[in-house]
Amino acid sequence: MSHLMVENLSKSFGDHLVLDRLSLSVKEGEFVSILGPSGSGKSTIFHLIGGLEIPDSGTFYLNNEKINNKRGMISYMPQSPSLFPWRNILDNVVLGAEIKEKPDYKKAKEMLMRAGLKGYENAYPHELSGGMRQRVAFVRSLLSPQSFICLDEPFSSLDEFTRLDMQKWLLSIWEQERQSVLFVTHNIEEAIFLSDRILVLSTNPATVQSEFKIHFERPRAESLLLTPEFLSLKKEIYLALRGELM
């Protein structure tokens, strides 16, 4: 497992300051969500951690090693599944491992079975539904050699019920693997249901303006979403976000 530290991160695009001395951490085996409105710099944080962009200032540490401007240090799942259409499902999920080392096809098949995709190993992405393609992308993230996973609004394009099914499935898999996860979303319910902690970003520019620890026991069931405790926390987080948007 891995732990991440981000210290005093700042990033501008031209004259527009997007991130201002932002600091955060993710402990080993922890599921942390970044919650904020569109345009608040959530995805930019991932691009910087992954070495796709260069920060103006600030430092990243993964397992106490400085990783500024280094690529290939994290496993990254973007909003779209980004599967290669000419590779079958099995070959898509081993892609990350293939780049670094010899793929473990036996483990890949086991993970696809746990994802409800047994029998689809030789299918191609266009033959799968949107939810199934998202499961393939997540399995690929789990099979990548990097032990730290960044998930960038992976369920944003799905309808409400498919999205909830995917959240429950993600938790069922994650609770067995317990890899460290940094998850970006703008959906409050999703953040509460999945997370150990939620970091709420301010806007213009973004920094961490609130932190919420989620104390609901795991494993979590769908019934949690309608409990008074869940709804009260949702309101509290909503007000924190609204305070920055007004």
Side-chain angles (χ1 to χ4, degrees):
M1 292 190 290
S2 296
H3 59 274
L4 176 76
M5 290 283 295
V6 178
E7 296 182 347
N8 297 314
L9 177 64
S10 294
K11 177 65 177 178
S12 299
F13 292 101
D15 295 329
H16 180 50
L17 181 60
V18 178
L19 305 174
D20 184 23
R21 291 168 291 177
L22 180 145
S23 296
L24 61 86
S25 65
V26 181
K27 301 173 186 176
E28 289 190 1
E30 190 177 31
F31 198 121
V32 176
S33 287
I34 297 176
L35 187 62
S38 297
S40 61
K42 301 188 299 296
S43 296
T44 300
I45 295 170
F46 279 1
H47 294 162
L48 293 165
I49 294 172
L52 301 177
E53 300 277 357
I54 299 174
D56 299 336
S57 60
T59 310
F60 306 100
Y61 295 98
L62 186 63
N63 301 328
N64 300 318
E65 176 188 351
K66 186 176 178 180
I67 60 167
N68 281 46
N69 310 330
K70 292 184 179 180
R71 298 189 181 188
M73 303 300 292
I74 62 166
S75 177
Y76 175 57
M77 180 178 168
Q79 294 180 28
S80 61
S82 301
L83 304 177
F84 288 131
W86 60 87
R87 295 178 70 120
N88 65 28
I89 298 309
L90 183 60
D91 286 337
N92 262 291
V93 298
V94 301
L95 182 62
E98 188 179 283
I99 293 170
K100 289 272 187 177
E101 56 194 31
K102 185 177 180 180
D104 186 342
Y105 285 97
K106 181 180 179 182
K107 184 177 181 181
K109 289 178 180 178
E110 290 173 355
M111 290 295 293
L112 286 171
M113 181 175 67
R114 286 165 58 187
L117 294 166
K118 182 177 174 59
Y120 289 93
E121 296 88 350
N122 295 316
Y124 287 85
H126 73 273
E127 300 177 281
L128 274 59
S129 68
M132 293 169 75
R133 288 194 294 270
Q134 290 297 96
R135 278 182 273 167
V136 172
F138 186 61
V139 169
R140 180 181 59 193
S141 298
L142 290 174
L143 289 172
S144 294
Q146 303 90 347
S147 58
F148 192 93
I149 302 177
C150 289
L151 304 176
D152 189 358
E153 299 195 63
F155 309 139
S156 60
S157 64
L158 304 177
D159 66 78
E160 183 176 355
F161 294 106
T162 303
R163 184 175 185 143
L164 180 57
D165 286 342
M166 287 298 301
Q167 292 166 8
K168 292 188 291 184
W169 173 81
L170 186 155
L171 283 182
S172 71
I173 298 295
W174 174 80
E175 287 182 7
Q176 296 176 50
E177 302 292 328
R178 285 286 175 159
Q179 288 174 274
S180 306
V181 173
L182 188 59
F183 185 92
V184 157
T185 183
H186 61 266
N187 186 290
I188 299 173
E189 283 193 359
E190 180 171 74
I192 298 172
F193 188 62
L194 295 175
S195 307
D196 296 309
R197 280 190 297 128
I198 296 173
L199 308 176
V200 177
L201 297 187
S202 61
T203 55
N204 302 316
T207 190
V208 176
Q209 62 102 356
S210 301
E211 176 179 319
F212 295 86
K213 293 184 179 180
I214 312 302
H215 298 292
F216 299 122
E217 292 184 357
R218 297 185 184 276
R220 293 174 184 166
E222 183 178 343
S223 56
L224 173 65
L225 300 173
L226 296 178
T227 62
E229 296 81 6
F230 187 98
L231 295 173
S232 176
L233 180 57
K234 179 181 176 181
K235 180 179 179 181
E236 187 178 355
I237 296 173
Y238 170 78
L239 291 174
L241 279 167
R242 184 176 172 83
E244 291 298 322
L245 291 170
M246 289 179 66

